[in-house]
Amino acid sequence: MKGYGETTKQIRIGKGYTQKHVAANLLTQGAFSKFENKNTDINLATMHGILNRLGITFEEFFYIQHGYQYSTRDEIITQFYRLSFNEETVLRGLSEKCQQYLRDFKEDQQVFHISIILEALIILAKTGDFERAKKMVEPVWRDLSKRNQLYITDLYMLNAILFLFPLPTVLQIKQFALRHLALYGNFRQVSRLQINISMNIALLLMKDNKFSKAQREILNAIYLCKKEHDFILLAICYVRKGICLNQLSLLGEKWIRKGVNMLITLEQFTLLEMVEEEIKQY
């Protein structure tokens, strides 16, 4: 792994900028040269100014600095964000990464919580034992519920454990999560999280035979899916919309067919099996 100065130099040369241009009004050219060539320390505000001058975000900088790949921790968080359904092999692979990471960084509470959630989801996928899975994740919810402020990864953890709780608790968690989500506005990944929350709550409402309320959650998710061009989740939303309409004695078959055909077109055959089970169930 390169030093920060060395990575900065690599990016600067790659973009064709001089040291004078990048360092202007931030630090002397001599100090900047020492930073690039000897990896001397600079403060965070100056580093932020340098990255702005280079047109690079902190996330991209660290990705380059780690040899154009995520650090182990960033990879765990990124994969956790991308979990969209409970495929046991995927859950086990990510759980193993968490355990390996925690051997060296036992104090990382966030990754520890993610590892607990993954173990609960694995148990659920393997045995269907909701009570056991719920007991495992209850400490995560207790910890998160006491905080004055939640951040993106915290909100993803909340979304991952929503379905393990009774519906009244879920709706309470939803309001708790949305208060914190509202602070993020158009921040990246927030729309995907809002979609997942609406889809998960819709599924819980469907299981409780509250199809009218589930339909409202699905319509919100459909709006966000279109906004984000997330066609895989949009296909699932169409299927669930059709199921709800059928249960409300309305015409839902065309929406079910539309969602199924989209998944076939997108070659999402594992997800197709999942939604076909939902269709049979209802």
Side-chain angles (χ1 to χ4, degrees), residues 233-275:
L233 292 183
L234 181 61
I236 299 171
C237 286
Y238 281 157
V239 171
R240 289 182 182 169
K241 178 180 178 178
I243 290 170
C244 288
L245 288 172
N246 281 346
Q247 293 293 325
L248 295 168
S249 300
L250 299 169
L251 299 175
E253 289 302 324
K254 68 174 184 179
W255 294 104
I256 292 173
R257 286 197 302 272
K258 190 173 185 178
V260 167
N261 288 337
M262 284 175 67
L263 289 173
I264 292 170
T265 302
L266 295 166
E267 299 182 0
Q268 295 295 316
F269 300 116
T270 306
L271 277 174
L272 182 60
E273 289 177 11
M274 183 193 80
V275 298

Side-chain angles (χ1 to χ4, degrees), residues 178-244:
L178 290 180
R179 284 201 305 272
H180 295 277
L181 264 176
L183 298 173
Y184 279 88
N186 293 320
F187 188 74
R188 61 181 178 77
Q189 298 169 329
V190 165
S191 289
R192 176 65 184 264
L193 181 53
Q194 290 171 326
I195 293 166
N196 286 340
I197 289 173
S198 285
M199 288 180 70
N200 285 339
I201 289 174
L203 192 58
L204 290 168
L205 288 164
M206 288 164 66
K207 288 178 179 177
D208 206 42
N209 295 319
K210 293 181 169 61
F211 295 101
S212 183
K213 290 182 178 179
Q215 179 75 335
R216 287 197 289 272
E217 291 289 345
I218 291 165
L219 291 175
N220 180 57
I222 286 172
Y223 167 77
L224 292 170
C225 284
K226 289 179 178 178
K227 182 181 173 184
E228 294 300 309
H229 302 110
D230 195 327
F231 300 111
I232 293 174
L233 292 183
L234 181 61
I236 299 171
C237 286
Y238 281 157
V239 171
R240 289 182 182 169
K241 178 180 178 178
I243 290 170
C244 288

